[in-house]
Amino acid sequence: MKILITGGAGFIGSHVVRLFVNHYPQYKIVNLDKLTYAGNLKNLTDIENKPNYKFIKGDICDAEFIQNLFATENFQAVIHLAAESHVDRSISNPLEFVITNVMGTVNLLNAARYQFQKEGATFQKFYHVSTDEVYGSLGKDGMFTETTAYDPHSPYSASKASSDHFVRAYHDTYKLPVVISNCSNNYGPYHFPEKLIPLAIHNIKNNKPVPVYGKGENIRDWLFVIDHARAIDTIFHNAQIGSTYNIGGHNEWKNIDVIELLCDIMDQKLGRPQGTSRALISFVKDRAGHDLRYAIDASKLQRDLGWMPSVQFAEGLESTVDWYLNNDVWLQEVTSGNYQNYYEEQYHKR
Ligand code: NAD
Ligand code: DAU
């Protein structure tokens, strides 16, 4: 099977690519990524020379390029992760999110549809990776299930909700074999340091203020990224066509509690007196339209397909801190922008 993975140079995509390349030597994995600021080929140096892996730089919004790519590569499946993913950026520049997340997804759906409908077609699956943010914001109680009505609040979540609707529409209208999953907040290695946890690790390490929006009362349901990649593997191989699965860690934390725990872990790792890093916490202006609480009910995934998270939060957070402290070069290259030269240096000359 030849599988197109989009956004494979990003945070979650790189873990999904690594898992598929390593676990399924019989598959051919093609990683298509535009290498925006969020795409980093240094996330994949350990597998870049494997015979079942190929990287292609390209834009999911370029219709002609995508049609040609499908025509020449004859993919049997797509796992679609490419997206603009940061809520704060979507507040500053919503249109970019519509273009990539909505139009880019529709572009891919069109190409998959032709691939699926052509004579002798072997196209099997279009797997769309989405987010719990499409369901909106919870109060104190309740959880998102697969039947919770969509109620997005940020331009990011509105664009992801729209892309989910298009994926389902292509199933209903053209019988395209689709699967969707909606996952909660991920954390772990290779997370771009604009998101809460890696930003906090970076700032604590460098004795810089750690910005906490509002009063830090907002709640997120954190899942270790490798557990998300495992869930994607399980769903890709076992879910019924047309189905949706929620993925989550049953692991709700207030932002301020996550940050305080991180400060304490960092104090211990850096040999600072306990309490030193907590002094860096800085309450700043709240995010506009800030969703209060996300909580995923992932019982359908456990019941139907037997998936469960394998990494406890305390263990996952500590190993994430260790990863960032042991991979200072990765972090420095990301913060300096040097990582963006890697494609030209390593790939262009091949
Ligand atoms: P990311 O921002 O780290 O990576 C996105 C990748 O997509 C980057 O490599 C980027 O270069 C690529 N990309 C962007 N625009 C592109 C385009 N036009 N053409 C080709 N490639 C393009 O994102 P992430 O956090 O890894 O999220 C991956 C997917 O998972 C997204 O669809 C996101 O909505 C979803 N998701 C993320 C989380 C989370 O906690 N991070 C949780 C649930 C779902
Ligand atoms: O729920 C899944 C979503 O999780 C994904 O779909 C998104 O792609 C991903 O970015 C993430 O969205 P969030 O907005 O929840 O993640 P972020 O790391 O930006 O923020 C987490 C929480 O921390 C949120 O309540 C906002 C807050 N925050 C964030 C930053 C960057 C702060 O308090 N300070 C910060 O500096």
Side-chain angles (χ1 to χ4, degrees):
M1 173 148 59
K2 193 185 260 190
I3 305 174
L4 173 67
I5 300 184
T6 71
F11 166 46
I12 301 169
S14 62
H15 288 280
V16 174
V17 165
R18 177 176 297 100
L19 186 155
F20 272 73
V21 165
N22 286 335
H23 287 203
Y24 301 105
Q26 71 276 29
Y27 294 167
K28 294 250 174 291
I29 304 299
V30 176
N31 172 11
L32 170 70
D33 199 297
K34 184 180 171 184
L35 300 182
T36 67
Y37 80 93
N40 183 352
L41 287 173
K42 293 238 167 164
N43 297 355
L44 289 166
T45 47
D46 55 325
I47 56 114
E48 68 186 3
N49 294 318
K50 296 251 176 167
N52 63 337
Y53 171 72
K54 179 160 90 174
F55 174 72
I56 296 177
K57 184 176 177 185
D59 187 345
I60 57 166
C61 301
D62 182 340
E64 199 183 324
F65 163 74
I66 292 292
Q67 294 288 351
N68 287 337
L69 184 69
F70 273 71
T72 47
E73 297 279 350
N74 250 320
F75 301 116
Q76 272 95 51
V78 174
I79 305 177
H80 175 38
L81 296 109
E84 288 294 335
S85 71
H86 191 39
V87 173
D88 294 327
R89 287 179 189 255
S90 83
I91 294 169
S92 318
N93 190 358
L95 197 54
E96 203 174 344
F97 284 67
V98 176
I99 292 169
T100 299
N101 298 358
V102 186
M103 293 169 68
T105 300
V106 175
N107 235 345
L108 281 174
L109 286 166
N110 276 337
R113 176 188 153 205
Y114 292 124
Q115 185 76 6
F116 175 62
Q117 290 178 333
K118 78 180 185 196
E119 226 179 283
T122 54
F123 189 81
Q124 295 172 22
K125 207 167 289 178
F126 188 102
Y127 181 163
H128 179 60
V129 176
S130 193
T131 171
D132 61 356
E133 300 202 7
V134 298
Y135 299 123
S137 182
L138 292 163
K140 266 192 1 215
D141 304 313
M143 296 180 110
F144 300 132
T145 72
E146 288 80 0
T147 55
T148 302
Y150 277 28
D151 182 23
H153 297 291
S154 72
Y156 163 69
S157 53
S159 70
K160 290 297 289 186
S162 173
S163 67
D164 292 10
H165 288 318
F166 271 103
V167 172
R168 292 198 179 93
Y170 272 62
H171 177 59
D172 295 342
T173 310
Y174 308 110
K175 310 281 174 259
L176 188 71
V178 309
V179 173
I180 300 180
S181 59
N182 298 84
C183 188
S184 63
N185 284 65
N186 286 212
Y187 70 98
Y190 304 111
H191 207 179
F192 197 85
E194 64 183 351
K195 308 279 168 68
L196 180 68
I197 288 180
L199 177 75
I201 295 173
H202 174 263
N203 286 12
I204 294 167
K205 179 167 170 278
N206 294 295
N207 273 308
K208 285 164 66 176
V210 179
V212 174
Y213 297 164
K215 294 180 177 159
E217 298 282 319
N218 304 68
I219 294 172
R220 296 294 181 264
D221 176 358
W222 293 99
L223 179 69
F224 194 58
V225 63
I226 292 171
D227 275 333
H228 188 189
R230 284 180 46 246
I232 289 174
D233 178 10
T234 301
I235 293 167
F236 178 80
H237 286 101
N238 302 298
Q240 246 186 18
I241 294 303
S243 62
T244 296
Y245 281 95
N246 280 354
I247 310 170
H250 284 288
N251 180 43
E252 291 181 52
W253 283 75
K254 272 189 194 163
N255 291 339
I256 186 64
D257 295 339
V258 174
I259 295 304
E260 287 183 350
L261 177 59
L262 258 182
C263 286
D264 296 348
I265 296 174
M266 293 286 287
D267 281 346
Q268 190 226 324
K269 300 278 173 191
L270 296 171
R272 294 177 182 166
Q274 274 299 322
T276 310
S277 298
R278 285 189 185 211
L280 296 168
I281 294 173
S282 162
F283 292 97
V284 298
K285 187 168 178 267
D286 208 353
R287 173 185 279 172
H290 198 172
D291 287 336
L292 178 64
R293 174 173 166 253
Y294 303 145
I296 277 280
D297 177 350
S299 57
K300 181 182 172 197
L301 182 55
Q302 181 177 355
R303 199 173 52 246
D304 287 5
L305 307 181
W307 176 91
M308 277 173 62
S310 67
V311 178
Q312 295 297 313
F313 193 52
E315 176 201 336
L317 204 56
E318 192 174 338
S319 73
T320 301
V321 168
D322 284 339
W323 186 86
Y324 278 92
L325 295 179
N326 293 331
N327 288 275
D328 202 36
V329 174
W330 182 92
L331 195 54
Q332 273 176 25
E333 286 193 336
V334 168
T335 46
S336 70
N338 272 352
Y339 70 108
Q340 288 175 313
N341 302 327
Y342 190 63
Y343 174 72
E344 296 299 328
E345 286 163 14
Q346 292 300 318
Y347 277 76
H348 224 228
K349 67 182 185 209
R350 286 183 186 180

